[in-house]
Amino acid sequence: MPETAPEGLEGLAFGGDYNPEQWPEAVWQEDVRLMREAGVTLVSLGIFSWALLEPEPGRYDFGWLDRIIALLHENGIRIDLGTPTVAPPAWFYRAHPDALPVSREGVRYEFGSRGAICHSSPAYREAAAAITEQLALRYGSHPALALWHVHNEYGVPVGACYCANCAAHFRRRLRATYATVDALNEAWGTAFWGQRYGSFDEIEPPRATPTVCNPAQRLDYARFADATMRENFVRERDLLHRLSPGIPVTTNFMTALSQCDSVDYWAWGREVDLVTNDHYLITDGRRTHVNLAMAADLTRSVAGGAPWLLLEHSTSGVNWQPRNPAKAPGQMARNSLAHVARGSDGAMFFQWRQSRRGAEKFHSSMVPHAGTDSRVWREVVRLGADLDRLAAVRGTRTVADVAMVWDWQSWWAQRLEWRPSEDHDARERADSFYETLYDRHLTVDFAHPEADLSGYPLVVVPALYLASEATGGNLRTYVENGGTLVVSYFSGIVDEHDAVHPGAHPGVLREVLGLTVEEFSPLGAGERVRLTAADGAELTGDVWSEFVVPRGAETIWTYADGLVAGQPAITRHRLGRGTAWYLSTRLGPDALDTVLGAAAEDARLAPRTDLPRDVEVVRRTGESGTYLFALNHSGADTKVPLSAHGTELLTGDRAAGRLGLPAGAVRVVKLDD
C-alpha cells in the first residue's frame, strides 16, 4: 500500500465531523472563528447530507455546501468531503422500498435511522453513484479539498441483508466462485443432512432455519455480504479517482474487535488510499486504554505499517452504551496522543458542535452544550496546540516488537453454532494475549496468517480456528528460520470452507507444533484445571482442555487433575532454528504472562522491568527523526528511562537520563540524532 496523506496538510490533522446543516447560517461564522482558535486543520463535511443535496430525484442543491466550503477555505481549514451514501433520502425509499435491508428472520427494516441499506439493490447502487458523480464534478478540484470520505462505517449497523436482491446477487457470486454446482456441493459438504443442490437457482441466503444452518454456507454468505459492501465502495472510489485525480479516497473503519465484527479489514485496507479509523471507549469494566492501544495497533497493521488517521473519537462521554461516563480531566488528550503514538497522523472527533436534536444529542463534542466556558473546550484548545507542536511526527512509522496473527474470516467461522464450547471466544483470547503483551511493554503489529513474519522475533496466535494450507506452511517456515511462535488451543482446525483438515487436530499446525490432539475436552462452567511443571510450579486453566500427544514436542506443563490428568498441557517444539509453543487450555492473565515470558526468553526479548504498569512507551521513527511517546495512564507520578538525550516537544524542555512523567500525563521526546 502506498503511503498517502490528506492533500495539503503539512502537520497533524485536527478537527472533526462538522454538520453545519444542523445550524442556522448565523452560527457558521462563530464556528469557523472557534475552529481557528482551537487550531482546527481539517473537518469532515456532508456525510449525512444526501436529502439536502438532492431534495428530489435528479434535482441538486449545492448552494449551502458551496457557502460553507468557501468559508472554511477562506479561513485555511481543509475538507474531508463525504459522499452521503450511508443515508439515502426518504424519497428514495418511497420509490425503492426493496432497497431497505431484510434481517435473517425476514424482517424488513424501515427508514428513520442510518445505514438501512441493501448493498445488492441496483437502485441504491445507481443512486449512490449519481450523487457521488455530482459531488466529484462540482468539488473534485476545489483547493480546500484534502480527502474524499466515502459512505460511513460500513458494516454498522447492518452488515448483511437477506432479501431477494441479495439472493440473486449471492447466486451470481457463487457461480463466479465455484463454476459448477458440483464444486459448490463439495465445498459446502451438502451430502450432510441431504442438503445437496441440483442447480445454483435452488440456493437461497442462509435465512433462519429450524435448526443449525450449513456452516459453510453461512461463512460464504458473510464473505459475500462484506464483498458486496466493498464493491459499492470501490465503485464510488473509482468515480472519485477519475473525476478528482490526486485526492485520496478513504472510508472510516471501525477496527476495534469491540466495535465491528462483520468486515474483513485486511481486504478493505487494500482498497483505500489512506486507512482511517473511528474508535470509542467501551465502558465494560476493562482497562479502556488497552482496548484503545489494541485498536490503534490493529489499524496501523491494516495500513501495512504506514501512517493512518484517527477520523473519529470522542472528547468525553458517548451516548449509545448502557452507561456513558465522562472522560477524566486530561484523558481526551491522552487518548488522542495514544493513537498518534501508534501511527495516526492526527486526531479527529465526532463531532464539532454538540447536536440539539436527534439520536446523538448527548454524545460529547468539541463545542459542548456548555459552550466555550467549559473544561472540554479548554482541553480541545490545548490539544490543538499540542498537536501543532508535534507536526514533525507526521509521516513517521511506529516501531513494533512482536506480531499477533489475526483473521476476521476465522473469527466469523469460529462463532458459528455447535462448536465444542460456547465459552471459547476468539475475541476474548485476542484481548487477553494483547493485554499480556501490553503489560510486558511490547508494541504489537497484527498480521494476516499468510503475511511475511520474518521481521518479528515473537509471533502469537491467540485464536485461528480457520487456517489454510498456506497458513500452516507460513508458520512452519517462520519457526524453521528462527522465529518463536505461541499458539493457543482450537487453532488450525478447519480449512477455508469450514471443513476439518484430514487427520488429527490441529490440522495444518501439526508439524510446526510437533504434536497431535486426539480429542477436545471442554470444561464445565466455572470448572478449572491445575497445571504443574517439572520444578513444581503451578498454573491454572479453565474453559478448555485437550488430550495432547507429543510428536517431537517436549512437555513443559502437565495437567494435574481433571479428565486429562497426566496429559501434556503446554508444550514446546524445537524446529529448525526456532521454537513453537502450544497452549491447550485457557490461561488467565498471570499464567499467560508466565508462558509468554518463557517464549519471550526464547525470542531474546528482554523484559521491560523499568516501566510500571499502565505506563506505555512507544516509538515512531522516520526521516524527521525518532520520537519517544510516554503515556502515563496511572494515578502515580513516575520516571521513564531514556536511551538518548532529546527535546520534549510539548514543553520544550531538554530530556536526559530519566524522563519525569506525572500521573495522567503525556510526554513526547525527539531523540537526538
PDB file of all heavy atoms in Angstrom, residues 255-261 282-284 286 291 294 404 406 411 414-415 423-435 462-463 586:
ATOM      1  N   THR A 255     -12.001  -0.728  13.399  1.00  0.00           N
ATOM      2  CA  THR A 255     -11.216  -1.964  13.505  1.00  0.00           C
ATOM      3  C   THR A 255     -11.282  -2.625  14.872  1.00  0.00           C
ATOM      4  O   THR A 255     -11.002  -3.813  14.985  1.00  0.00           O
ATOM      5  CB  THR A 255      -9.738  -1.705  13.185  1.00  0.00           C
ATOM      6  OG1 THR A 255      -9.204  -0.782  14.142  1.00  0.00           O
ATOM      7  CG2 THR A 255      -9.566  -1.148  11.784  1.00  0.00           C
ATOM      8  N   ALA A 256     -11.620  -1.879  15.921  1.00  0.00           N
ATOM      9  CA  ALA A 256     -11.643  -2.482  17.255  1.00  0.00           C
ATOM     10  C   ALA A 256     -12.566  -3.696  17.258  1.00  0.00           C
ATOM     11  O   ALA A 256     -13.697  -3.632  16.766  1.00  0.00           O
ATOM     12  CB  ALA A 256     -12.106  -1.469  18.295  1.00  0.00           C
ATOM     13  N   LEU A 257     -12.100  -4.807  17.819  1.00  0.00           N
ATOM     14  CA  LEU A 257     -12.908  -6.020  17.859  1.00  0.00           C
ATOM     15  C   LEU A 257     -14.162  -5.815  18.692  1.00  0.00           C
ATOM     16  O   LEU A 257     -15.127  -6.582  18.564  1.00  0.00           O
ATOM     17  CB  LEU A 257     -12.086  -7.182  18.407  1.00  0.00           C
ATOM     18  CG  LEU A 257     -10.758  -7.459  17.691  1.00  0.00           C
ATOM     19  CD1 LEU A 257     -10.101  -8.713  18.245  1.00  0.00           C
ATOM     20  CD2 LEU A 257     -10.949  -7.571  16.186  1.00  0.00           C
ATOM     21  N   SER A 258     -14.166  -4.779  19.518  1.00  0.00           N
ATOM     22  CA  SER A 258     -15.325  -4.458  20.345  1.00  0.00           C
ATOM     23  C   SER A 258     -16.370  -3.642  19.595  1.00  0.00           C
ATOM     24  O   SER A 258     -17.453  -3.390  20.129  1.00  0.00           O
ATOM     25  CB  SER A 258     -14.863  -3.663  21.577  1.00  0.00           C
ATOM     26  OG  SER A 258     -14.112  -2.529  21.180  1.00  0.00           O
ATOM     27  N   GLN A 259     -16.084  -3.238  18.337  1.00  0.00           N
ATOM     28  CA  GLN A 259     -16.974  -2.294  17.674  1.00  0.00           C
ATOM     29  C   GLN A 259     -17.535  -2.763  16.334  1.00  0.00           C
ATOM     30  O   GLN A 259     -18.644  -2.388  15.980  1.00  0.00           O
ATOM     31  CB  GLN A 259     -16.253  -0.954  17.508  1.00  0.00           C
ATOM     32  CG  GLN A 259     -16.027  -0.281  18.854  1.00  0.00           C
ATOM     33  CD  GLN A 259     -15.333   1.046  18.765  1.00  0.00           C
ATOM     34  OE1 GLN A 259     -14.266   1.239  19.315  1.00  0.00           O
ATOM     35  NE2 GLN A 259     -15.930   1.975  18.069  1.00  0.00           N
ATOM     36  N   CYS A 260     -16.821  -3.550  15.574  1.00  0.00           N
ATOM     37  CA  CYS A 260     -17.360  -4.051  14.303  1.00  0.00           C
ATOM     38  C   CYS A 260     -16.800  -5.436  14.051  1.00  0.00           C
ATOM     39  O   CYS A 260     -15.584  -5.641  14.126  1.00  0.00           O
ATOM     40  CB  CYS A 260     -17.004  -3.122  13.148  1.00  0.00           C
ATOM     41  SG  CYS A 260     -17.721  -3.648  11.562  1.00  0.00           S
ATOM     42  N   ASP A 261     -17.691  -6.385  13.752  1.00  0.00           N
ATOM     43  CA  ASP A 261     -17.254  -7.769  13.570  1.00  0.00           C
ATOM     44  C   ASP A 261     -17.683  -8.364  12.238  1.00  0.00           C
ATOM     45  O   ASP A 261     -17.549  -9.566  12.019  1.00  0.00           O
ATOM     46  CB  ASP A 261     -17.780  -8.651  14.709  1.00  0.00           C
ATOM     47  CG  ASP A 261     -19.301  -8.641  14.809  1.00  0.00           C
ATOM     48  OD1 ASP A 261     -19.965  -8.052  13.932  1.00  0.00           O
ATOM     49  OD2 ASP A 261     -19.835  -9.228  15.777  1.00  0.00           O
ATOM     50  N   ILE A 282     -15.032   1.570  25.188  1.00  0.00           N
ATOM     51  CA  ILE A 282     -16.108   0.684  25.600  1.00  0.00           C
ATOM     52  C   ILE A 282     -16.051   0.546  27.115  1.00  0.00           C
ATOM     53  O   ILE A 282     -15.092   0.001  27.668  1.00  0.00           O
ATOM     54  CB  ILE A 282     -15.976  -0.700  24.929  1.00  0.00           C
ATOM     55  CG1 ILE A 282     -15.952  -0.535  23.408  1.00  0.00           C
ATOM     56  CG2 ILE A 282     -17.109  -1.618  25.357  1.00  0.00           C
ATOM     57  CD1 ILE A 282     -17.187   0.067  22.806  1.00  0.00           C
ATOM     58  N   THR A 283     -17.055   1.044  27.808  1.00  0.00           N
ATOM     59  CA  THR A 283     -17.036   1.064  29.268  1.00  0.00           C
ATOM     60  C   THR A 283     -17.665  -0.216  29.810  1.00  0.00           C
ATOM     61  O   THR A 283     -18.760  -0.229  30.348  1.00  0.00           O
ATOM     62  CB  THR A 283     -17.783   2.298  29.791  1.00  0.00           C
ATOM     63  OG1 THR A 283     -19.089   2.338  29.199  1.00  0.00           O
ATOM     64  CG2 THR A 283     -17.046   3.564  29.419  1.00  0.00           C
ATOM     65  N   ASP A 284     -16.921  -1.332  29.637  1.00  0.00           N
ATOM     66  CA  ASP A 284     -17.405  -2.638  30.093  1.00  0.00           C
ATOM     67  C   ASP A 284     -16.607  -3.150  31.285  1.00  0.00           C
ATOM     68  O   ASP A 284     -16.605  -4.344  31.574  1.00  0.00           O
ATOM     69  CB  ASP A 284     -17.343  -3.650  28.948  1.00  0.00           C
ATOM     70  CG  ASP A 284     -15.941  -3.828  28.385  1.00  0.00           C
ATOM     71  OD1 ASP A 284     -15.009  -3.153  28.876  1.00  0.00           O
ATOM     72  OD2 ASP A 284     -15.768  -4.645  27.462  1.00  0.00           O
ATOM     73  N   ARG A 286     -13.346  -3.010  31.543  1.00  0.00           N
ATOM     74  CA  ARG A 286     -11.964  -3.292  31.173  1.00  0.00           C
ATOM     75  C   ARG A 286     -11.143  -2.005  31.182  1.00  0.00           C
ATOM     76  O   ARG A 286     -11.679  -0.911  31.277  1.00  0.00           O
ATOM     77  CB  ARG A 286     -11.901  -3.942  29.793  1.00  0.00           C
ATOM     78  CG  ARG A 286     -12.803  -5.160  29.652  1.00  0.00           C
ATOM     79  CD  ARG A 286     -12.596  -5.844  28.313  1.00  0.00           C
ATOM     80  NE  ARG A 286     -13.704  -6.743  28.025  1.00  0.00           N
ATOM     81  CZ  ARG A 286     -13.654  -7.730  27.135  1.00  0.00           C
ATOM     82  NH1 ARG A 286     -12.549  -7.942  26.466  1.00  0.00           N
ATOM     83  NH2 ARG A 286     -14.691  -8.499  26.919  1.00  0.00           N
ATOM     84  N   ASN A 291      -7.702  -1.340  25.277  1.00  0.00           N
ATOM     85  CA  ASN A 291      -8.517  -1.527  24.080  1.00  0.00           C
ATOM     86  C   ASN A 291      -8.169  -0.489  23.023  1.00  0.00           C
ATOM     87  O   ASN A 291      -8.098  -0.788  21.827  1.00  0.00           O
ATOM     88  CB  ASN A 291      -9.999  -1.446  24.445  1.00  0.00           C
ATOM     89  CG  ASN A 291     -10.926  -1.541  23.238  1.00  0.00           C
ATOM     90  OD1 ASN A 291     -11.184  -0.547  22.565  1.00  0.00           O
ATOM     91  ND2 ASN A 291     -11.419  -2.727  22.970  1.00  0.00           N
ATOM     92  N   MET A 294      -4.872  -1.405  21.396  1.00  0.00           N
ATOM     93  CA  MET A 294      -5.063  -2.562  20.524  1.00  0.00           C
ATOM     94  C   MET A 294      -5.712  -2.143  19.203  1.00  0.00           C
ATOM     95  O   MET A 294      -5.289  -2.567  18.116  1.00  0.00           O
ATOM     96  CB  MET A 294      -5.927  -3.598  21.230  1.00  0.00           C
ATOM     97  CG  MET A 294      -6.147  -4.880  20.465  1.00  0.00           C
ATOM     98  SD  MET A 294      -7.084  -6.058  21.475  1.00  0.00           S
ATOM     99  CE  MET A 294      -7.254  -7.430  20.329  1.00  0.00           C
ATOM    100  N   MET A 404       0.968 -10.356  16.276  1.00  0.00           N
ATOM    101  CA  MET A 404      -0.154 -11.210  16.635  1.00  0.00           C
ATOM    102  C   MET A 404      -0.907 -11.568  15.354  1.00  0.00           C
ATOM    103  O   MET A 404      -1.318 -10.678  14.606  1.00  0.00           O
ATOM    104  CB  MET A 404      -1.096 -10.518  17.621  1.00  0.00           C
ATOM    105  CG  MET A 404      -2.293 -11.369  18.014  1.00  0.00           C
ATOM    106  SD  MET A 404      -3.451 -10.518  19.132  1.00  0.00           S
ATOM    107  CE  MET A 404      -2.426 -10.361  20.595  1.00  0.00           C
ATOM    108  N   TRP A 406      -4.025 -12.522  13.317  1.00  0.00           N
ATOM    109  CA  TRP A 406      -5.470 -12.349  13.476  1.00  0.00           C
ATOM    110  C   TRP A 406      -6.125 -12.418  12.110  1.00  0.00           C
ATOM    111  O   TRP A 406      -5.587 -11.932  11.122  1.00  0.00           O
ATOM    112  CB  TRP A 406      -5.801 -10.999  14.126  1.00  0.00           C
ATOM    113  CG  TRP A 406      -7.283 -10.769  14.216  1.00  0.00           C
ATOM    114  CD1 TRP A 406      -8.039  -9.963  13.425  1.00  0.00           C
ATOM    115  CD2 TRP A 406      -8.187 -11.408  15.119  1.00  0.00           C
ATOM    116  NE1 TRP A 406      -9.350 -10.045  13.789  1.00  0.00           N
ATOM    117  CE2 TRP A 406      -9.478 -10.924  14.819  1.00  0.00           C
ATOM    118  CE3 TRP A 406      -8.038 -12.334  16.146  1.00  0.00           C
ATOM    119  CZ2 TRP A 406     -10.616 -11.343  15.528  1.00  0.00           C
ATOM    120  CZ3 TRP A 406      -9.164 -12.749  16.848  1.00  0.00           C
ATOM    121  CH2 TRP A 406     -10.434 -12.251  16.534  1.00  0.00           C
ATOM    122  N   TRP A 411     -12.549 -15.700  12.627  1.00  0.00           N
ATOM    123  CA  TRP A 411     -13.450 -15.302  13.716  1.00  0.00           C
ATOM    124  C   TRP A 411     -14.898 -15.575  13.329  1.00  0.00           C
ATOM    125  O   TRP A 411     -15.670 -16.115  14.122  1.00  0.00           O
ATOM    126  CB  TRP A 411     -13.224 -13.824  14.010  1.00  0.00           C
ATOM    127  CG  TRP A 411     -13.893 -13.280  15.235  1.00  0.00           C
ATOM    128  CD1 TRP A 411     -14.336 -13.981  16.326  1.00  0.00           C
ATOM    129  CD2 TRP A 411     -14.185 -11.903  15.505  1.00  0.00           C
ATOM    130  NE1 TRP A 411     -14.864 -13.123  17.253  1.00  0.00           N
ATOM    131  CE2 TRP A 411     -14.791 -11.850  16.781  1.00  0.00           C
ATOM    132  CE3 TRP A 411     -13.971 -10.728  14.802  1.00  0.00           C
ATOM    133  CZ2 TRP A 411     -15.193 -10.645  17.364  1.00  0.00           C
ATOM    134  CZ3 TRP A 411     -14.366  -9.528  15.386  1.00  0.00           C
ATOM    135  CH2 TRP A 411     -14.975  -9.487  16.645  1.00  0.00           C
ATOM    136  N   GLN A 414     -15.477 -19.362  13.529  1.00  0.00           N
ATOM    137  CA  GLN A 414     -15.467 -19.923  14.878  1.00  0.00           C
ATOM    138  C   GLN A 414     -16.758 -19.616  15.628  1.00  0.00           C
ATOM    139  O   GLN A 414     -17.204 -20.388  16.464  1.00  0.00           O
ATOM    140  CB  GLN A 414     -14.271 -19.388  15.665  1.00  0.00           C
ATOM    141  CG  GLN A 414     -14.145 -20.024  17.048  1.00  0.00           C
ATOM    142  CD  GLN A 414     -13.050 -19.402  17.868  1.00  0.00           C
ATOM    143  OE1 GLN A 414     -11.931 -19.272  17.401  1.00  0.00           O
ATOM    144  NE2 GLN A 414     -13.372 -19.018  19.090  1.00  0.00           N
ATOM    145  N   ARG A 415     -17.392 -18.471  15.306  1.00  0.00           N
ATOM    146  CA  ARG A 415     -18.577 -18.057  16.056  1.00  0.00           C
ATOM    147  C   ARG A 415     -19.858 -18.754  15.605  1.00  0.00           C
ATOM    148  O   ARG A 415     -20.916 -18.544  16.218  1.00  0.00           O
ATOM    149  CB  ARG A 415     -18.768 -16.543  15.942  1.00  0.00           C
ATOM    150  CG  ARG A 415     -17.687 -15.751  16.656  1.00  0.00           C
ATOM    151  CD  ARG A 415     -17.992 -14.276  16.612  1.00  0.00           C
ATOM    152  NE  ARG A 415     -18.283 -13.831  15.260  1.00  0.00           N
ATOM    153  CZ  ARG A 415     -18.721 -12.616  14.958  1.00  0.00           C
ATOM    154  NH1 ARG A 415     -18.922 -11.746  15.916  1.00  0.00           N
ATOM    155  NH2 ARG A 415     -18.940 -12.269  13.708  1.00  0.00           N
ATOM    156  N   ASP A 423     -18.052 -21.171  25.588  1.00  0.00           N
ATOM    157  CA  ASP A 423     -17.226 -20.312  26.432  1.00  0.00           C
ATOM    158  C   ASP A 423     -15.924 -19.896  25.748  1.00  0.00           C
ATOM    159  O   ASP A 423     -15.243 -18.983  26.228  1.00  0.00           O
ATOM    160  CB  ASP A 423     -16.893 -21.018  27.750  1.00  0.00           C
ATOM    161  CG  ASP A 423     -18.132 -21.289  28.582  1.00  0.00           C
ATOM    162  OD1 ASP A 423     -19.071 -20.478  28.527  1.00  0.00           O
ATOM    163  OD2 ASP A 423     -18.179 -22.329  29.264  1.00  0.00           O
ATOM    164  N   HIS A 424     -15.548 -20.587  24.678  1.00  0.00           N
ATOM    165  CA  HIS A 424     -14.334 -20.181  23.963  1.00  0.00           C
ATOM    166  C   HIS A 424     -14.670 -19.046  23.012  1.00  0.00           C
ATOM    167  O   HIS A 424     -15.490 -19.196  22.105  1.00  0.00           O
ATOM    168  CB  HIS A 424     -13.742 -21.356  23.196  1.00  0.00           C
ATOM    169  CG  HIS A 424     -12.574 -20.967  22.331  1.00  0.00           C
ATOM    170  ND1 HIS A 424     -11.590 -20.121  22.761  1.00  0.00           N
ATOM    171  CD2 HIS A 424     -12.255 -21.293  21.041  1.00  0.00           C
ATOM    172  CE1 HIS A 424     -10.705 -19.941  21.797  1.00  0.00           C
ATOM    173  NE2 HIS A 424     -11.092 -20.640  20.734  1.00  0.00           N
ATOM    174  N   ASP A 425     -14.025 -17.925  23.193  1.00  0.00           N
ATOM    175  CA  ASP A 425     -14.330 -16.701  22.467  1.00  0.00           C
ATOM    176  C   ASP A 425     -13.035 -16.177  21.856  1.00  0.00           C
ATOM    177  O   ASP A 425     -12.094 -15.833  22.571  1.00  0.00           O
ATOM    178  CB  ASP A 425     -14.920 -15.689  23.455  1.00  0.00           C
ATOM    179  CG  ASP A 425     -15.288 -14.363  22.828  1.00  0.00           C
ATOM    180  OD1 ASP A 425     -14.886 -14.098  21.681  1.00  0.00           O
ATOM    181  OD2 ASP A 425     -15.968 -13.573  23.503  1.00  0.00           O
ATOM    182  N   ALA A 426     -12.984 -16.113  20.529  1.00  0.00           N
ATOM    183  CA  ALA A 426     -11.762 -15.661  19.850  1.00  0.00           C
ATOM    184  C   ALA A 426     -11.399 -14.240  20.246  1.00  0.00           C
ATOM    185  O   ALA A 426     -10.223 -13.924  20.450  1.00  0.00           O
ATOM    186  CB  ALA A 426     -11.945 -15.753  18.335  1.00  0.00           C
ATOM    187  N   ARG A 427     -12.400 -13.379  20.363  1.00  0.00           N
ATOM    188  CA  ARG A 427     -12.095 -12.004  20.760  1.00  0.00           C
ATOM    189  C   ARG A 427     -11.499 -11.974  22.163  1.00  0.00           C
ATOM    190  O   ARG A 427     -10.536 -11.246  22.431  1.00  0.00           O
ATOM    191  CB  ARG A 427     -13.345 -11.139  20.701  1.00  0.00           C
ATOM    192  CG  ARG A 427     -13.036  -9.706  21.128  1.00  0.00           C
ATOM    193  CD  ARG A 427     -14.250  -8.890  21.489  1.00  0.00           C
ATOM    194  NE  ARG A 427     -13.838  -7.813  22.389  1.00  0.00           N
ATOM    195  CZ  ARG A 427     -14.679  -7.046  23.074  1.00  0.00           C
ATOM    196  NH1 ARG A 427     -15.974  -7.225  22.964  1.00  0.00           N
ATOM    197  NH2 ARG A 427     -14.217  -6.110  23.878  1.00  0.00           N
ATOM    198  N   GLU A 428     -12.048 -12.767  23.074  1.00  0.00           N
ATOM    199  CA  GLU A 428     -11.518 -12.786  24.442  1.00  0.00           C
ATOM    200  C   GLU A 428     -10.057 -13.211  24.455  1.00  0.00           C
ATOM    201  O   GLU A 428      -9.228 -12.628  25.167  1.00  0.00           O
ATOM    202  CB  GLU A 428     -12.358 -13.732  25.307  1.00  0.00           C
ATOM    203  CG  GLU A 428     -11.950 -13.785  26.768  1.00  0.00           C
ATOM    204  CD  GLU A 428     -10.766 -14.703  27.048  1.00  0.00           C
ATOM    205  OE1 GLU A 428     -10.612 -15.701  26.307  1.00  0.00           O
ATOM    206  OE2 GLU A 428      -9.985 -14.415  27.983  1.00  0.00           O
ATOM    207  N   ARG A 429      -9.710 -14.227  23.640  1.00  0.00           N
ATOM    208  CA  ARG A 429      -8.308 -14.670  23.596  1.00  0.00           C
ATOM    209  C   ARG A 429      -7.413 -13.581  22.994  1.00  0.00           C
ATOM    210  O   ARG A 429      -6.314 -13.323  23.486  1.00  0.00           O
ATOM    211  CB  ARG A 429      -8.185 -15.956  22.797  1.00  0.00           C
ATOM    212  CG  ARG A 429      -8.599 -17.220  23.510  1.00  0.00           C
ATOM    213  CD  ARG A 429      -7.684 -17.585  24.700  1.00  0.00           C
ATOM    214  NE  ARG A 429      -7.986 -16.792  25.901  1.00  0.00           N
ATOM    215  CZ  ARG A 429      -7.225 -16.748  26.984  1.00  0.00           C
ATOM    216  NH1 ARG A 429      -6.095 -17.438  27.013  1.00  0.00           N
ATOM    217  NH2 ARG A 429      -7.571 -16.022  28.032  1.00  0.00           N
ATOM    218  N   ALA A 430      -7.884 -12.943  21.940  1.00  0.00           N
ATOM    219  CA  ALA A 430      -7.084 -11.877  21.344  1.00  0.00           C
ATOM    220  C   ALA A 430      -6.875 -10.742  22.339  1.00  0.00           C
ATOM    221  O   ALA A 430      -5.762 -10.223  22.498  1.00  0.00           O
ATOM    222  CB  ALA A 430      -7.754 -11.362  20.072  1.00  0.00           C
ATOM    223  N   ASP A 431      -7.960 -10.336  23.024  1.00  0.00           N
ATOM    224  CA  ASP A 431      -7.838  -9.292  24.038  1.00  0.00           C
ATOM    225  C   ASP A 431      -6.849  -9.691  25.127  1.00  0.00           C
ATOM    226  O   ASP A 431      -6.021  -8.882  25.567  1.00  0.00           O
ATOM    227  CB  ASP A 431      -9.197  -9.016  24.680  1.00  0.00           C
ATOM    228  CG  ASP A 431     -10.147  -8.245  23.784  1.00  0.00           C
ATOM    229  OD1 ASP A 431      -9.691  -7.677  22.773  1.00  0.00           O
ATOM    230  OD2 ASP A 431     -11.353  -8.204  24.095  1.00  0.00           O
ATOM    231  N   SER A 432      -6.922 -10.935  25.588  1.00  0.00           N
ATOM    232  CA  SER A 432      -6.071 -11.388  26.692  1.00  0.00           C
ATOM    233  C   SER A 432      -4.605 -11.451  26.283  1.00  0.00           C
ATOM    234  O   SER A 432      -3.719 -11.011  27.033  1.00  0.00           O
ATOM    235  CB  SER A 432      -6.543 -12.757  27.192  1.00  0.00           C
ATOM    236  OG  SER A 432      -7.820 -12.658  27.775  1.00  0.00           O
ATOM    237  N   PHE A 433      -4.332 -12.005  25.109  1.00  0.00           N
ATOM    238  CA  PHE A 433      -2.952 -12.051  24.638  1.00  0.00           C
ATOM    239  C   PHE A 433      -2.415 -10.633  24.457  1.00  0.00           C
ATOM    240  O   PHE A 433      -1.275 -10.340  24.834  1.00  0.00           O
ATOM    241  CB  PHE A 433      -2.866 -12.821  23.319  1.00  0.00           C
ATOM    242  CG  PHE A 433      -2.639 -14.305  23.486  1.00  0.00           C
ATOM    243  CD1 PHE A 433      -3.646 -15.126  23.961  1.00  0.00           C
ATOM    244  CD2 PHE A 433      -1.420 -14.871  23.161  1.00  0.00           C
ATOM    245  CE1 PHE A 433      -3.453 -16.494  24.104  1.00  0.00           C
ATOM    246  CE2 PHE A 433      -1.201 -16.239  23.301  1.00  0.00           C
ATOM    247  CZ  PHE A 433      -2.220 -17.052  23.780  1.00  0.00           C
ATOM    248  N   TYR A 434      -3.248  -9.755  23.874  1.00  0.00           N
ATOM    249  CA  TYR A 434      -2.776  -8.390  23.657  1.00  0.00           C
ATOM    250  C   TYR A 434      -2.483  -7.709  24.991  1.00  0.00           C
ATOM    251  O   TYR A 434      -1.439  -7.054  25.145  1.00  0.00           O
ATOM    252  CB  TYR A 434      -3.806  -7.575  22.866  1.00  0.00           C
ATOM    253  CG  TYR A 434      -3.286  -6.185  22.564  1.00  0.00           C
ATOM    254  CD1 TYR A 434      -2.567  -5.935  21.406  1.00  0.00           C
ATOM    255  CD2 TYR A 434      -3.449  -5.143  23.476  1.00  0.00           C
ATOM    256  CE1 TYR A 434      -2.038  -4.688  21.144  1.00  0.00           C
ATOM    257  CE2 TYR A 434      -2.921  -3.887  23.229  1.00  0.00           C
ATOM    258  CZ  TYR A 434      -2.212  -3.667  22.066  1.00  0.00           C
ATOM    259  OH  TYR A 434      -1.678  -2.432  21.824  1.00  0.00           O
ATOM    260  N   GLU A 435      -3.388  -7.843  25.950  1.00  0.00           N
ATOM    261  CA  GLU A 435      -3.189  -7.174  27.231  1.00  0.00           C
ATOM    262  C   GLU A 435      -1.931  -7.674  27.936  1.00  0.00           C
ATOM    263  O   GLU A 435      -1.208  -6.897  28.566  1.00  0.00           O
ATOM    264  CB  GLU A 435      -4.411  -7.371  28.129  1.00  0.00           C
ATOM    265  CG  GLU A 435      -4.379  -6.558  29.391  1.00  0.00           C
ATOM    266  CD  GLU A 435      -5.724  -6.469  30.082  1.00  0.00           C
ATOM    267  OE1 GLU A 435      -6.694  -7.097  29.594  1.00  0.00           O
ATOM    268  OE2 GLU A 435      -5.823  -5.773  31.111  1.00  0.00           O
ATOM    269  N   PRO A 462      -3.499 -16.201  19.073  1.00  0.00           N
ATOM    270  CA  PRO A 462      -4.447 -16.428  20.164  1.00  0.00           C
ATOM    271  C   PRO A 462      -5.661 -17.253  19.773  1.00  0.00           C
ATOM    272  O   PRO A 462      -6.240 -17.939  20.619  1.00  0.00           O
ATOM    273  CB  PRO A 462      -4.856 -15.016  20.571  1.00  0.00           C
ATOM    274  CG  PRO A 462      -4.633 -14.188  19.359  1.00  0.00           C
ATOM    275  CD  PRO A 462      -3.453 -14.791  18.662  1.00  0.00           C
ATOM    276  N   ALA A 463      -6.079 -17.180  18.503  1.00  0.00           N
ATOM    277  CA  ALA A 463      -7.275 -17.907  18.062  1.00  0.00           C
ATOM    278  C   ALA A 463      -7.280 -17.928  16.543  1.00  0.00           C
ATOM    279  O   ALA A 463      -7.506 -16.897  15.913  1.00  0.00           O
ATOM    280  CB  ALA A 463      -8.543 -17.244  18.591  1.00  0.00           C
ATOM    281  N   ARG A 586      -7.216 -22.564  28.406  1.00  0.00           N
ATOM    282  CA  ARG A 586      -7.292 -21.106  28.507  1.00  0.00           C
ATOM    283  C   ARG A 586      -6.598 -20.671  29.790  1.00  0.00           C
ATOM    284  O   ARG A 586      -6.991 -21.081  30.887  1.00  0.00           O
ATOM    285  CB  ARG A 586      -8.744 -20.619  28.514  1.00  0.00           C
ATOM    286  CG  ARG A 586      -8.832 -19.103  28.392  1.00  0.00           C
ATOM    287  CD  ARG A 586     -10.257 -18.600  28.320  1.00  0.00           C
ATOM    288  NE  ARG A 586     -10.862 -18.516  29.659  1.00  0.00           N
ATOM    289  CZ  ARG A 586     -11.980 -17.838  29.918  1.00  0.00           C
ATOM    290  NH1 ARG A 586     -12.622 -17.215  28.942  1.00  0.00           N
ATOM    291  NH2 ARG A 586     -12.474 -17.811  31.139  1.00  0.00           N
TER     292      ARG A 586
END
